[in-house]
Amino acid sequence: MDLPALPDLLVEPIVRAALLEDLGRAGDITSNAVVPVDARTVAEMVTRQPGVIAGTAVAAMAFRLIDPALEVTVAKGDGTPVEPGDVVMRIAGAARSVLAAERVALNLICRLSGIATATAALVAAARPHGHARIVCTRKTTPGLRALEKHAVRAGGGSNHRFGLDDAVLIKDNHVAVAGGVRPALERARANVGHLVKIEIEVDTLAQLDEALAAGADVVMLDNMGPAMLKEAVARVGGRALTEASGRINLETVGPVAASGVDLISVGWITHSAPILDLGLDIAL
């Protein structure tokens, strides 16, 4: 998979903060007390269940920030399907350093691989029914958004906006405060640059018609059933991108994709996906 790497400048502060949280004021007092200072080891990060890997660079950084002399070799890159027992990464060097970084590295790669695995399952479930892309939302762990959105891409999904500043998304509360769909869209169009896309959430076909008449670039079809979604897509007729949203899961994504929507946004792949279980085993 041609997956762009996350820049170290973005990742390092996140990993460093996690290490500082874990090491506390005195460092790994267990390893320092039990493991001889000159002990060397080779450890393998191994999968315990099937899934899709994400976060190898993040995990590797945890080891290297603890000890730049550690030799880290990635055997299964981000976006790679894995089975139980697969070796994802090998780490060689000072045993104390390996043990000090172990939990932070595992916490991050397990979390991100869980997101990639959940995304891949949704992508596979939707694929036979239409052309829709699975996209994530802003329902991410505070401080980890860039990593979690990277994990979505590793699982074959696509990213929605990264924050409040990269696109206009007019939600139901915005519509209520602005006084309606048309006023909200007109104010948005008058106050943002010509390169900024404007999306609006609609709950009914009447709201959809109003949004199309006012020139929305993207319409979020919120909590509509498959039949209503199909009618909505037909009304849009290619004049705007269509996005289905609201309580979509593995059981419902097929009929939603079959409606012909362009995008399916799913919050649970980032806020509720279970981790992918990986462990660190001492191999030597």
Side-chain angles (χ1 to χ4, degrees), residues 207-223:
Q207 282 188 326
L208 172 62
D209 290 339
E210 191 176 358
L212 292 171
D217 298 305
V218 188
V219 286
M220 178 184 288
L221 309 170
D222 191 49
N223 285 304

Side-chain angles (χ1 to χ4, degrees), residues 116-210:
T117 300
T119 303
L122 266 179
V123 168
R127 186 178 296 118
H129 304 283
H131 65 276
R133 288 181 289 155
I134 301 298
V135 299
C136 52
T137 72
R138 285 170 45 244
K139 295 176 182 177
T140 54
T141 307
L144 298 183
R145 179 170 295 167
L147 305 188
E148 293 179 347
K149 283 184 172 286
H150 170 84
V152 168
R153 298 195 300 275
S158 300
N159 295 149
H160 210 287
R161 60 181 181 160
F162 274 72
L164 294 172
D165 63 336
D166 59 352
V168 172
L169 176 47
I170 303 168
K171 302 280 285 182
D172 54 353
N173 286 337
H174 296 108
V175 171
V177 173
V181 168
R182 179 176 285 277
L185 281 166
E186 288 176 345
R187 289 174 183 169
R189 187 66 69 189
N191 286 288
V192 298
H194 65 285
L195 294 179
V196 178
K197 293 289 186 181
I198 299 176
E199 179 173 7
I200 189 165
E201 176 185 272
V202 298
D203 303 315
T204 67
L205 294 176
Q207 282 188 326
L208 172 62
D209 290 339
E210 191 176 358

